[in-house]
Amino acid sequence: DSILPRSRPDLAIKDSRTGMPLYSEGSYWPDIYSEEVWDYNIEIVKELAEKGVKEIQFDYIRAPARGNVYYADYTHNEKNESKVWAITSFLKKVREETEAYDIKISADVFGWTFIADDDQGIGQLIEEMAPYLDYIYPMAYPSHYSPGFLGYGIPDEYPYEVMKYTLEKGIPRIGDTKCRVIPWIQAFSLGVRYTEVEILEQIRAAEEMGIKGFLCWNALNNYATVEKALMLREK
């Protein structure tokens, strides 16, 4: 949310060098520790629920990870809590405040958070988030894994293996919560050309894990390849 920090600089993550809102990763950021920021978002959720929206998906629910993070000053973190605490406490409050609404709560997380044991400095720890979510959507895009992952020089060339490993590592960490795991499928090309074959390989990996359903992402909103993949799947 780059709008709120500019309208209310007092609610922004500050740049320790200037005292002004921090600009990182191409955006300004609200302070994840601010309960006023939490309440602002919860009011939006309630408004949407009252208008008939059935699911609220918190996309990129995290602290900044790159750029000027060294200078990030969380002035609302008065008790020196962790970023995991901030993200989890927000989701907990969302759940408590929306109990009266017929609405599902979900969140997107990086695929790597299904593998890493820590929060990677961004506050995403899936075992802490899952109790307050109906769905968790890992963005396990093979193109986003570093060379050498699982011994592959170009992990992007192994969509089935990357997706399968990510889900195998992460699903047990959800435990016996009611949260369901549904992966994002890479439906775009970034270095390696992705066709219907690569899309179907990712879907196959998810289905072998007992997952029913998937989401597809293409930044250009070009889903012709997905349509071809689904037609082949039906055959």
Side-chain angles (χ1 to χ4, degrees), residues 12-235:
I13 299 174
K14 300 295 193 304
D15 189 320
S16 62
R17 298 168 295 181
T18 65
M20 301 298 289
L22 179 77
Y23 189 79
S24 189
E25 297 188 45
S27 180
Y28 294 99
W29 295 71
D31 191 326
I32 60 174
Y33 293 93
S34 168
E35 288 209 41
E36 190 171 348
V37 170
W38 300 357
D39 293 340
Y40 167 79
N41 280 277
I42 289 170
E43 287 305 309
I44 294 174
V45 171
K46 290 179 178 179
E47 180 181 350
L48 293 171
E50 289 167 0
K51 292 181 181 297
V53 172
K54 296 300 183 185
E55 179 181 344
I56 296 295
Q57 182 187 113
F58 290 106
D59 188 23
Y60 279 160
I61 180 170
R62 61 179 177 90
R66 301 182 303 277
N68 295 321
V69 291
Y70 180 79
Y71 303 105
D73 184 9
Y74 296 88
T75 58
H76 291 265
N77 188 13
E78 298 174 353
K79 297 182 179 180
N80 197 31
E81 301 282 5
S82 68
K83 294 184 179 73
V84 171
W85 176 89
I87 298 299
T88 303
S89 296
F90 166 67
L91 291 175
K92 181 175 184 289
K93 191 168 186 180
V94 170
R95 179 60 73 188
E96 291 171 348
E97 293 284 328
T98 59
E99 286 182 352
Y101 296 90
D102 181 20
I103 195 167
K104 301 294 185 183
I105 304 297
S106 60
D108 295 335
V109 297
F110 286 131
W112 193 252
T113 63
F114 264 47
I115 298 171
D117 293 328
D118 61 14
D119 75 324
Q120 300 291 289
I122 62 174
Q124 290 183 351
L125 199 60
I126 59 174
E127 46 264 76
E128 298 293 331
M129 299 170 68
Y132 308 110
L133 296 172
D134 294 293
Y135 306 102
I136 192 165
Y137 303 121
M139 299 180 284
Y141 307 134
S143 62
H144 285 41
Y145 290 72
S146 300
F149 177 69
L150 296 181
Y152 302 128
I154 305 177
D156 207 5
E157 294 180 343
Y158 299 87
Y160 168 83
E161 289 82 0
V162 171
M163 177 65 75
K164 188 72 176 291
Y165 182 83
T166 301
L167 296 174
E168 284 178 337
K169 292 290 286 185
I171 289 176
R173 294 169 58 188
I174 301 299
D176 58 358
T177 67
K178 295 181 180 179
C179 180
R180 289 178 55 193
V181 174
I182 299 178
W184 278 100
I185 300 297
Q186 177 173 327
F188 58 87
S189 299
L190 189 64
V192 174
R193 182 171 178 266
Y194 264 42
T195 68
E196 53 271 24
V197 173
E198 286 73 22
I199 290 172
L200 288 172
E201 284 292 273
Q202 295 172 81
I203 294 172
R204 180 167 71 91
E207 290 181 335
E208 287 182 2
M209 294 297 299
I211 294 174
K212 300 183 185 300
F214 52 86
L215 301 167
C216 296
W217 175 248
N218 183 291
L220 299 177
N221 284 325
N222 182 353
Y223 292 99
T225 305
V226 173
E227 187 176 357
K228 290 180 182 178
L230 296 180
M231 289 176 64
L232 286 172
R233 192 163 171 262
E234 290 177 359
K235 293 179 180 180

